[in-house]
Amino acid sequence: MSAVFTPGALLPGRRAIVTGGGRGIGAAITRAFAAHGAHVLVVDTVDVDQRAHEFDSAAGGSIEHLVADVCDGATAGRLAQWRPEILVNNVGHFLRPPVRFADEAPAMWTQLGDVNFEHVLRLTHAVLPVMPRGGSIVNVTTVEAHRAIPGHTVYSAYKAALMQFTRSLGVEEGHNGIRVNAIAPDLVESVQVPYRDLVADEDWAKWPYWAPLGGPGAPDDVAGAALYLASDLSRYVTGTTVHVDGGSHAAGGWFRRGSGGWTNRPADA
Ligand SMILES: NC(=O)c1ccc[n+]([C@@H]2O[C@H](COP(=O)([O-])OP(=O)(O)OC[C@H]3O[C@@H](n4cnc5c(N)ncnc54)[C@H](O)[C@@H]3O)[C@@H](O)[C@H]2O)c1
Protein backbone atom coordinates (compact mmCIF):
# COMPACT_ATOMS: atom_id res chain seq x y z
CA MET A 1 0.00 0.00 0.00
CA SER A 2 1.40 3.37 -0.92
CA ALA A 3 -1.06 6.24 -1.30
CA VAL A 4 -3.23 6.89 1.73
CA PHE A 5 -6.19 7.83 -0.43
CA THR A 6 -6.77 7.00 -4.06
CA PRO A 7 -10.10 7.63 -5.75
CA GLY A 8 -12.03 4.57 -6.84
CA ALA A 9 -13.51 1.47 -5.24
CA LEU A 10 -12.42 1.07 -1.61
CA LEU A 11 -13.43 -2.59 -1.15
CA PRO A 12 -12.78 -4.31 -4.50
CA GLY A 13 -13.56 -8.04 -4.28
CA ARG A 14 -13.72 -8.02 -0.46
CA ARG A 15 -16.11 -10.46 1.19
CA ALA A 16 -18.27 -8.78 3.82
CA ILE A 17 -21.06 -9.76 6.19
CA VAL A 18 -23.53 -7.16 7.46
CA THR A 19 -25.92 -8.33 10.16
CA GLY A 20 -29.29 -6.62 10.16
CA GLY A 21 -28.43 -5.37 6.68
CA GLY A 22 -32.01 -5.52 5.48
CA ARG A 23 -33.11 -2.10 6.65
CA GLY A 24 -31.97 1.10 8.32
CA ILE A 25 -28.28 1.59 9.04
CA GLY A 26 -27.37 -1.96 7.97
CA ALA A 27 -28.98 -1.53 4.55
CA ALA A 28 -27.08 1.72 3.96
CA ILE A 29 -23.80 0.01 4.92
CA THR A 30 -24.62 -2.85 2.56
CA ARG A 31 -25.26 -0.49 -0.38
CA ALA A 32 -22.08 1.47 0.31
CA PHE A 33 -19.91 -1.65 0.53
CA ALA A 34 -21.38 -3.16 -2.65
CA ALA A 35 -20.98 0.13 -4.54
CA HIS A 36 -17.29 -0.01 -3.56
CA GLY A 37 -16.88 -3.48 -5.03
CA ALA A 38 -17.53 -5.74 -2.03
CA HIS A 39 -19.44 -9.03 -2.13
CA VAL A 40 -21.85 -8.57 0.77
CA LEU A 41 -23.82 -11.23 2.61
CA VAL A 42 -26.78 -9.64 4.38
CA VAL A 43 -28.06 -11.54 7.40
CA ASP A 44 -31.50 -10.46 8.50
CA THR A 45 -34.62 -12.01 9.96
CA VAL A 46 -36.68 -10.43 7.18
CA ASP A 47 -36.36 -11.09 3.46
CA VAL A 48 -35.91 -7.56 2.26
CA ASP A 49 -37.38 -5.65 -0.63
CA GLN A 50 -34.62 -5.53 -3.27
CA ARG A 51 -35.18 -1.78 -3.70
CA ALA A 52 -33.57 -1.28 -0.27
CA HIS A 53 -30.38 -2.64 -1.82
CA GLU A 54 -30.17 -0.85 -5.15
CA PHE A 55 -26.57 0.22 -5.80
CA ASP A 56 -24.22 1.20 -8.59
CA SER A 57 -22.62 -2.10 -9.68
CA ALA A 58 -19.86 -0.50 -11.80
CA ALA A 59 -17.23 -1.57 -9.23
CA GLY A 60 -18.30 -5.24 -9.50
CA GLY A 61 -19.90 -5.59 -6.07
CA SER A 62 -22.77 -7.92 -5.23
CA ILE A 63 -25.34 -8.56 -2.49
CA GLU A 64 -26.64 -11.92 -1.26
CA HIS A 65 -29.28 -12.53 1.37
CA LEU A 66 -29.42 -15.00 4.21
CA VAL A 67 -32.66 -14.97 6.15
CA ALA A 68 -31.53 -15.91 9.65
CA ASP A 69 -31.69 -14.78 13.25
CA VAL A 70 -28.27 -13.77 14.59
CA CYS A 71 -29.42 -14.91 18.03
CA ASP A 72 -29.93 -18.45 16.71
CA GLY A 73 -26.95 -20.54 17.81
CA ALA A 74 -26.61 -22.15 14.36
CA THR A 75 -26.14 -18.83 12.53
CA ALA A 76 -22.52 -18.30 13.60
CA GLY A 77 -21.30 -21.46 11.84
CA ARG A 78 -23.16 -20.54 8.65
CA LEU A 79 -21.50 -17.14 8.60
CA ALA A 80 -18.02 -18.59 9.09
CA GLN A 81 -18.54 -20.59 5.87
CA TRP A 82 -18.75 -17.27 3.98
CA ARG A 83 -15.11 -16.62 5.06
CA PRO A 84 -15.54 -12.85 5.38
CA GLU A 85 -12.74 -10.31 5.38
CA ILE A 86 -15.17 -7.78 6.87
CA LEU A 87 -17.78 -8.38 9.58
CA VAL A 88 -20.23 -5.65 10.56
CA ASN A 89 -22.08 -6.55 13.76
CA ASN A 90 -24.95 -4.12 13.27
CA VAL A 91 -27.93 -5.87 14.94
CA GLY A 92 -29.02 -4.30 18.21
CA HIS A 93 -32.30 -3.17 19.73
CA PHE A 94 -34.08 -1.73 22.79
CA LEU A 95 -36.73 -4.49 22.35
CA ARG A 96 -39.32 -2.67 24.50
CA PRO A 97 -40.53 0.78 25.60
CA PRO A 98 -38.66 2.46 28.47
CA VAL A 99 -39.23 0.82 31.87
CA ARG A 100 -37.81 1.34 35.33
CA PHE A 101 -35.11 -1.29 35.99
CA ALA A 102 -36.76 -2.27 39.30
CA ASP A 103 -39.91 -3.23 37.38
CA GLU A 104 -38.22 -5.17 34.59
CA ALA A 105 -38.64 -8.94 34.35
CA PRO A 106 -35.28 -10.74 34.56
CA ALA A 107 -36.17 -12.76 31.44
CA MET A 108 -35.89 -9.53 29.47
CA TRP A 109 -32.22 -9.11 30.51
CA THR A 110 -31.39 -12.34 28.72
CA GLN A 111 -33.05 -11.19 25.50
CA LEU A 112 -31.44 -7.75 25.66
CA GLY A 113 -28.07 -9.34 26.36
CA ASP A 114 -28.31 -11.66 23.38
CA VAL A 115 -29.50 -9.16 20.79
CA ASN A 116 -27.07 -6.43 21.86
CA PHE A 117 -23.98 -8.35 22.95
CA GLU A 118 -23.88 -12.14 23.32
CA HIS A 119 -24.60 -12.93 19.67
CA VAL A 120 -21.73 -10.64 18.66
CA LEU A 121 -19.40 -12.79 20.75
CA ARG A 122 -20.65 -15.95 19.01
CA LEU A 123 -20.42 -14.54 15.48
CA THR A 124 -17.03 -12.96 16.05
CA HIS A 125 -15.68 -16.12 17.70
CA ALA A 126 -16.81 -18.20 14.72
CA VAL A 127 -15.52 -15.83 12.06
CA LEU A 128 -12.13 -14.78 13.50
CA PRO A 129 -10.35 -18.09 12.77
CA VAL A 130 -11.20 -17.82 9.05
CA MET A 131 -10.65 -14.07 8.73
CA PRO A 132 -7.42 -13.25 6.84
CA ARG A 133 -4.87 -10.55 7.65
CA GLY A 134 -6.26 -7.21 6.60
CA GLY A 135 -9.65 -8.14 8.04
CA SER A 136 -11.88 -5.60 9.73
CA ILE A 137 -14.62 -6.00 12.32
CA VAL A 138 -17.03 -3.11 12.89
CA ASN A 139 -19.40 -3.21 15.87
CA VAL A 140 -22.37 -0.85 15.97
CA THR A 141 -22.88 0.42 19.52
CA THR A 142 -24.70 3.64 20.45
CA VAL A 143 -24.13 7.01 22.07
CA GLU A 144 -25.71 5.35 25.12
CA ALA A 145 -22.65 3.13 25.49
CA HIS A 146 -20.96 6.40 26.51
CA ARG A 147 -23.75 8.18 28.39
CA ALA A 148 -26.92 7.21 30.27
CA ILE A 149 -30.34 6.29 28.91
CA PRO A 150 -32.85 6.01 31.77
CA GLY A 151 -35.52 3.40 31.06
CA HIS A 152 -33.06 1.33 29.03
CA THR A 153 -30.43 0.55 31.68
CA VAL A 154 -29.75 -3.03 30.56
CA TYR A 155 -29.57 -2.06 26.87
CA SER A 156 -26.99 0.62 27.64
CA ALA A 157 -24.99 -1.74 29.86
CA TYR A 158 -24.70 -4.35 27.08
CA LYS A 159 -23.84 -1.71 24.48
CA ALA A 160 -21.10 -0.43 26.79
CA ALA A 161 -19.88 -4.02 27.07
CA LEU A 162 -19.74 -4.17 23.27
CA MET A 163 -17.65 -1.00 23.23
CA GLN A 164 -15.18 -2.53 25.72
CA PHE A 165 -15.11 -5.82 23.78
CA THR A 166 -14.19 -3.76 20.71
CA ARG A 167 -11.28 -2.11 22.51
CA SER A 168 -9.80 -5.27 23.99
CA LEU A 169 -10.28 -7.39 20.87
CA GLY A 170 -8.72 -4.67 18.74
CA VAL A 171 -5.61 -4.78 20.90
CA GLU A 172 -5.59 -8.60 21.01
CA GLU A 173 -5.91 -9.07 17.23
CA GLY A 174 -3.58 -6.29 16.12
CA HIS A 175 -0.61 -8.58 15.55
CA ASN A 176 -2.83 -10.85 13.41
CA GLY A 177 -3.53 -7.90 11.11
CA ILE A 178 -7.21 -7.76 12.06
CA ARG A 179 -8.68 -4.44 13.14
CA VAL A 180 -11.72 -4.05 15.42
CA ASN A 181 -13.59 -0.78 15.78
CA ALA A 182 -17.02 0.55 16.70
CA ILE A 183 -19.48 3.11 15.45
CA ALA A 184 -21.70 4.84 18.02
CA PRO A 185 -24.73 6.34 16.25
CA ASP A 186 -27.37 8.69 17.61
CA LEU A 187 -30.29 10.56 16.06
CA VAL A 188 -30.34 8.50 12.84
CA GLU A 189 -33.72 8.06 11.17
CA SER A 190 -34.46 4.33 10.79
CA VAL A 191 -37.14 1.71 11.28
CA GLN A 192 -36.11 1.31 14.92
CA VAL A 193 -35.93 5.03 15.62
CA PRO A 194 -38.46 6.72 13.29
CA TYR A 195 -37.87 10.34 14.23
CA ARG A 196 -40.44 11.49 11.68
CA ASP A 197 -43.08 9.74 13.82
CA LEU A 198 -41.43 10.30 17.20
CA VAL A 199 -40.90 14.08 16.94
CA ALA A 200 -44.02 16.24 17.00
CA ASP A 201 -44.48 18.59 14.06
CA GLU A 202 -44.14 21.64 16.29
CA ASP A 203 -40.78 20.36 17.57
CA TRP A 204 -39.28 19.54 14.14
CA ALA A 205 -37.79 23.05 13.78
CA LYS A 206 -35.83 22.52 17.01
CA TRP A 207 -33.30 20.13 15.44
CA PRO A 208 -30.57 22.82 15.16
CA TYR A 209 -30.82 23.29 18.96
CA TRP A 210 -31.00 19.56 19.67
CA ALA A 211 -27.74 18.49 17.99
CA PRO A 212 -24.82 20.70 16.88
CA LEU A 213 -25.19 19.50 13.28
CA GLY A 214 -29.00 19.46 13.39
CA GLY A 215 -30.86 16.38 12.32
CA PRO A 216 -32.02 13.80 12.00
CA GLY A 217 -29.05 11.97 10.51
CA ALA A 218 -29.52 9.43 7.75
CA PRO A 219 -28.39 5.79 7.62
CA ASP A 220 -26.01 6.81 4.80
CA ASP A 221 -24.16 9.01 7.31
CA VAL A 222 -23.30 5.90 9.32
CA ALA A 223 -22.40 3.99 6.15
CA GLY A 224 -19.65 6.53 5.46
CA ALA A 225 -18.00 5.72 8.78
CA ALA A 226 -18.41 1.97 8.18
CA LEU A 227 -16.77 2.28 4.77
CA TYR A 228 -13.84 4.09 6.35
CA LEU A 229 -13.43 1.50 9.12
CA ALA A 230 -13.81 -1.49 6.77
CA SER A 231 -11.37 -0.19 4.16
CA ASP A 232 -7.64 0.46 4.10
CA LEU A 233 -8.34 4.15 4.68
CA SER A 234 -8.34 3.23 8.38
CA ARG A 235 -5.45 0.75 8.19
CA TYR A 236 -3.76 2.25 11.30
CA VAL A 237 -6.98 2.50 13.37
CA THR A 238 -8.12 -0.14 15.84
CA GLY A 239 -9.89 -0.49 19.19
CA THR A 240 -11.67 2.83 18.90
CA THR A 241 -15.13 4.31 18.31
CA VAL A 242 -16.34 6.72 15.63
CA HIS A 243 -19.27 8.80 16.87
CA VAL A 244 -21.84 9.44 14.14
CA ASP A 245 -24.36 11.55 16.00
CA GLY A 246 -24.37 15.12 14.74
CA GLY A 247 -22.24 16.04 17.75
CA SER A 248 -24.69 14.90 20.46
CA HIS A 249 -22.06 12.93 22.39
CA ALA A 250 -19.64 15.84 22.38
CA ALA A 251 -22.41 18.25 23.41
CA GLY A 252 -23.10 16.07 26.47
CA GLY A 253 -26.28 17.88 27.47
CA TRP A 254 -25.41 21.35 26.18
CA PHE A 255 -28.01 22.95 23.91
CA ARG A 256 -27.94 26.08 21.80
CA ARG A 257 -30.71 28.51 22.76
CA GLY A 258 -33.06 29.98 20.20
CA SER A 259 -32.53 33.34 21.89
CA GLY A 260 -28.75 32.97 21.65
CA GLY A 261 -26.15 31.48 23.97
CA TRP A 262 -26.11 27.99 25.44
CA THR A 263 -27.79 26.09 28.28
CA ASN A 264 -27.25 22.82 30.10
CA ARG A 265 -30.39 23.27 32.18
CA PRO A 266 -33.75 21.59 31.51
CA ALA A 267 -36.11 23.81 29.59
CA ASP A 268 -39.35 22.58 31.15
CA ALA A 269 -38.44 21.41 34.68
N1 LIG B 1 -30.90 4.70 14.51
C1 LIG B 1 -30.19 5.26 15.50
O1 LIG B 1 -30.22 6.50 15.72
C2 LIG B 1 -29.34 4.40 16.40
C3 LIG B 1 -28.87 4.99 17.58
C4 LIG B 1 -28.06 4.23 18.41
C5 LIG B 1 -27.70 2.95 18.06
N2 LIG B 1 -28.18 2.39 16.90
C6 LIG B 1 -27.76 1.02 16.59
O2 LIG B 1 -27.60 0.86 15.19
C7 LIG B 1 -27.90 -0.50 14.84
C8 LIG B 1 -28.89 -0.50 13.69
O3 LIG B 1 -30.03 0.23 14.11
P1 LIG B 1 -31.16 0.74 13.11
O4 LIG B 1 -31.69 1.99 13.72
O5 LIG B 1 -30.70 0.74 11.71
O6 LIG B 1 -32.23 -0.43 13.36
P2 LIG B 1 -33.43 -0.98 12.45
O7 LIG B 1 -34.37 -1.63 13.40
O8 LIG B 1 -33.94 0.12 11.59
O9 LIG B 1 -32.77 -2.10 11.54
C9 LIG B 1 -32.25 -3.26 12.14
C10 LIG B 1 -32.27 -4.42 11.16
O10 LIG B 1 -31.81 -5.57 11.89
C11 LIG B 1 -32.69 -6.66 11.67
N3 LIG B 1 -32.67 -7.54 12.84
C12 LIG B 1 -33.16 -7.26 14.08
N4 LIG B 1 -32.96 -8.30 14.90
C13 LIG B 1 -32.33 -9.26 14.17
C14 LIG B 1 -31.84 -10.55 14.47
N5 LIG B 1 -32.00 -11.09 15.70
N6 LIG B 1 -31.22 -11.26 13.50
C15 LIG B 1 -31.06 -10.73 12.25
N7 LIG B 1 -31.52 -9.50 11.91
C16 LIG B 1 -32.13 -8.77 12.86
C17 LIG B 1 -34.07 -6.01 11.44
O11 LIG B 1 -34.94 -6.89 10.71
C18 LIG B 1 -33.67 -4.76 10.64
O12 LIG B 1 -33.64 -5.01 9.24
C19 LIG B 1 -28.40 -1.17 16.12
O13 LIG B 1 -27.35 -1.89 16.73
C20 LIG B 1 -28.81 -0.01 17.02
O14 LIG B 1 -28.71 -0.30 18.39
C21 LIG B 1 -29.01 3.09 16.07
Side-chain angles (χ1 to χ4, degrees), residues 18-156:
V18 180
T19 71
R23 293 176 292 194
I25 289 169
I29 292 172
T30 298
R31 290 191 300 270
F33 282 11
H36 277 269
H39 303 299
V40 187
L41 179 66
V42 168
V43 188
D44 206 297
T45 42
V46 294
D47 199 2
V48 178
D49 185 339
Q50 297 291 337
R51 282 173 298 184
H53 286 156
E54 281 176 3
F55 69 100
D56 181 348
S57 59
S62 63
I63 300 174
E64 288 185 35
H65 296 93
L66 174 65
V67 178
D69 185 340
V70 292
C71 296
D72 181 336
T75 302
R78 296 172 76 184
L79 298 198
Q81 288 170 16
W82 180 257
R83 304 184 80 81
E85 295 154 279
I86 299 161
L87 171 64
V88 181
N89 289 308
N90 166 66
V91 165
H93 211 290
F94 308 103
L95 292 183
R96 53 155 183 73
V99 65
R100 186 181 173 219
F101 174 70
D103 298 331
E104 187 166 46
M108 184 52 85
W109 310 341
T110 310
Q111 288 181 47
L112 285 164
D114 211 6
V115 82
N116 289 298
F117 183 61
E118 296 279 345
H119 85 268
V120 176
L121 304 187
R122 287 194 299 275
L123 298 195
T124 306
H125 191 259
V127 160
L128 262 176
V130 298
M131 186 172 272
R133 293 189 74 82
S136 174
I137 297 172
V138 180
N139 297 322
V140 181
T141 61
T142 173
V143 69
E144 283 106 11
H146 303 263
R147 71 160 195 222
I149 177 169
H152 290 290
T153 50
V154 177
Y155 164 83
S156 71

Side-chain angles (χ1 to χ4, degrees), residues 2-8 10 233:
S2 52
V4 171
F5 179 76
T6 50
L10 291 170
L233 285 180

